[in-house]
Amino acid sequence: MKEIKTELLALDVGKVKENEPLASHTTIKIGGPAALFIEPSSIEKLQKVMGVIKKHGINWRAIGRGSNLLVSDKGIDGVVIKLGAGINGLEINGTEITVGGGYSLVSLATLISRKGLSGLEFASGIPGSVGGAVYMNAGAHGSDISKVLTKAHILFADGTMEWLSNTEMDFSYRTSVLQKKRPGIVVEAVFQLSEGNREEIVALMQKNKDYRKVTQPWNYPCAGSIFRNPLPNFAGKLIESAGLKGHRIGGAEISTMHGNFIVNAGNATANDVLALIDHVKDTIFNLYGVKMETEVEIIGRK
Ligand SMILES: Cc1cc2nc3c(=O)[nH]c(=O)nc-3n(C[C@H](O)[C@H](O)[C@H](O)COP(=O)(O)OP(=O)(O)OC[C@H]3O[C@@H](n4cnc5c(N)ncnc54)[C@H](O)[C@@H]3O)c2cc1C
């Protein structure tokens, strides 16, 4: 990695660090080091990073705010590219907004609500980046990214960039084309919003936030919903009725507030969380015959 780091520094791509602990970049505060960690300073520099990655044939992964990630205690072999401050442009053109993949979704939703633009009220408590939200088709309160996204600008592993339309993004429940069929990095997204009543929008956002405060463990490090809802069932309800709320392995605990959240209740390791996930899967399958699938992305060295 030394040689690659030197090459990237010569290209002045932004911050480049070796063995960066990922616990500092995930909301659950867990995760070993990334062999190489890069925070590109612009979309153009990110494209240069991709060129170097392609030349050396190394594994890579883009991350945003780490709010849907469980990173192994042993860390990640390849390159982790964090989209943040360098890739957070914002352009508001009437009811259409173009925003960088590294922009905070909560900050975006708050900012546009104050301008009386409606469409992102659902996002007020989703602590991810715009890019992570597009990749996940993040949603809540009956809406999601697919309802407002017009197109997304994607950087692919071969270094090419392409605008994908909403249809081409192939969104469905917490998924998009980027997850399996066409891996790539969301560098920009265009949202079509509508004009609304500023006071009503701000009030709805506050109501959504207040609801989270009484239903989710907002004061503990966590990674959002651990399992996808096995529709028509709800993961949280199944876990609660199985009596698993409060169950603890090491420092990882199933939240006493919400069955589908695992919190880092104190020095939890990824192995603690993984053991708890397996315990939930086994219990729910044995009791109800339902197979639970994780929503949180589990990555890194085994
Ligand atoms: C307290 C809490 C509440 C939450 N509530 C909700 C909720 O109500 N609804 C909901 O849907 N989610 C929720 N989440 C989960 C999470 O916030 C979302 O999934 C969010 O969209 C993840 O964005 P991120 O930037 O943190 O992505 P990360 O966690 O950094 O990454 C998640 C995945 O997205 C990929 N990714 C990240 N950035 C990009 C990019 N620019 N281009 C391509 N791929 C990228 C990563 O490779 C990874 O596979 C919650 C999480 C927490 C901690």
Side-chain angles (χ1 to χ4, degrees), residues 78-129:
V79 174
V80 169
I81 307 164
K82 177 168 174 154
L83 272 75
I87 302 179
N88 67 349
L90 176 65
E91 203 184 301
I92 303 179
N93 209 338
T95 53
E96 186 185 86
I97 60 172
T98 304
V99 58
Y103 209 100
S104 147
L105 190 64
V106 169
S107 305
L108 180 67
T110 307
L111 189 133
I112 61 146
S113 70
R114 292 188 185 137
K115 294 189 181 293
L117 291 173
S118 175
L120 280 177
E121 293 89 335
F122 74 88
S124 64
I126 304 181
S129 64

Side-chain angles (χ1 to χ4, degrees), residues 20-24 26 28-35 61 69-77 80 268-274 296-302:
E20 170 73 359
L22 290 173
S24 330
T26 59
I28 196 165
K29 304 285 169 226
I30 290 174
R61 166 158 310 247
L69 287 179
L70 179 65
V71 179
S72 143
D73 299 316
K74 292 182 185 155
I76 293 187
D77 274 331
V80 169
T269 62
N271 281 342
D272 294 340
V273 179
L274 288 171
V296 66
E297 298 228 352
I298 300 167
I299 60 173
R301 298 182 181 115
K302 294 244 157 61

Side-chain angles (χ1 to χ4, degrees), residues 27 61-69 83 101 125-129 131-133 135-136 138-140 174 178 184-186 212 216 222-224 261 295 297:
T27 54
R61 166 158 310 247
I63 66 165
R65 301 175 82 84
S67 62
N68 196 46
L69 287 179
L83 272 75
I126 304 181
S129 64
Y135 172 94
M136 287 301 294
R174 300 294 169 268
L178 304 175
I185 303 179
V186 180
R212 279 179 191 269
Q216 295 180 2
C222 69
F261 279 66
E295 178 169 313
E297 298 228 352

Side-chain angles (χ1 to χ4, degrees), residues 51 56 121 123 130 132 291:
H56 292 275
E121 293 89 335
V130 165
K291 276 195 178 163

Side-chain angles (χ1 to χ4, degrees), residues 50 60-62 135 154-160 164 176-186:
M50 211 42 137
W60 60 274
R61 166 158 310 247
Y135 172 94
I154 311 294
L155 170 64
F156 291 103
D158 63 3
T160 59
L164 297 190
S176 70
V177 75
L178 304 175
Q179 293 193 13
K180 286 202 177 80
K181 292 186 217 146
R182 296 191 73 187
I185 303 179
V186 180

Side-chain angles (χ1 to χ4, degrees), residues 112-258:
I112 61 146
S113 70
R114 292 188 185 137
K115 294 189 181 293
L117 291 173
S118 175
L120 280 177
E121 293 89 335
F122 74 88
S124 64
I126 304 181
S129 64
V130 165
V134 172
Y135 172 94
M136 287 301 294
N137 188 20
H141 310 289
S143 193
D144 59 33
I145 288 290
S146 76
K147 305 266 186 352
V148 283
L149 183 129
T150 321
K151 56 183 181 176
H153 203 188
I154 311 294
L155 170 64
F156 291 103
D158 63 3
T160 59
M161 301 236 277
E162 203 182 315
W163 282 98
L164 297 190
S165 68
N166 181 300
T167 314
E168 288 168 323
M169 286 300 294
D170 199 14
F171 289 120
S172 57
Y173 171 60
R174 300 294 169 268
T175 188
S176 70
V177 75
L178 304 175
Q179 293 193 13
K180 286 202 177 80
K181 292 186 217 146
R182 296 191 73 187
I185 303 179
V186 180
V187 294
E188 283 173 292
V190 177
F191 296 120
Q192 182 60 57
L193 305 167
S194 56
E195 274 172 18
N197 178 294
R198 185 184 180 278
E199 281 69 39
E200 279 172 23
I201 296 166
V202 171
L204 178 55
M205 301 244 312
Q206 190 58 47
K207 190 175 148 214
N208 291 344
K209 241 187 259 171
D210 293 344
Y211 179 73
R212 279 179 191 269
K213 285 230 158 147
V214 291
T215 54
Q216 295 180 2
W218 55 273
N219 50 349
Y220 278 97
C222 69
S225 298
I226 292 292
F227 296 98
R228 289 170 187 265
N229 284 322
L231 297 169
N233 292 300
F234 289 94
K237 288 238 165 72
L238 290 179
I239 294 167
E240 180 169 0
S241 57
L244 287 171
K245 270 177 150 184
H247 191 85
R248 190 165 172 158
I249 296 182
E253 183 181 289
I254 297 177
S255 165
T256 48
M257 282 182 92
H258 193 308

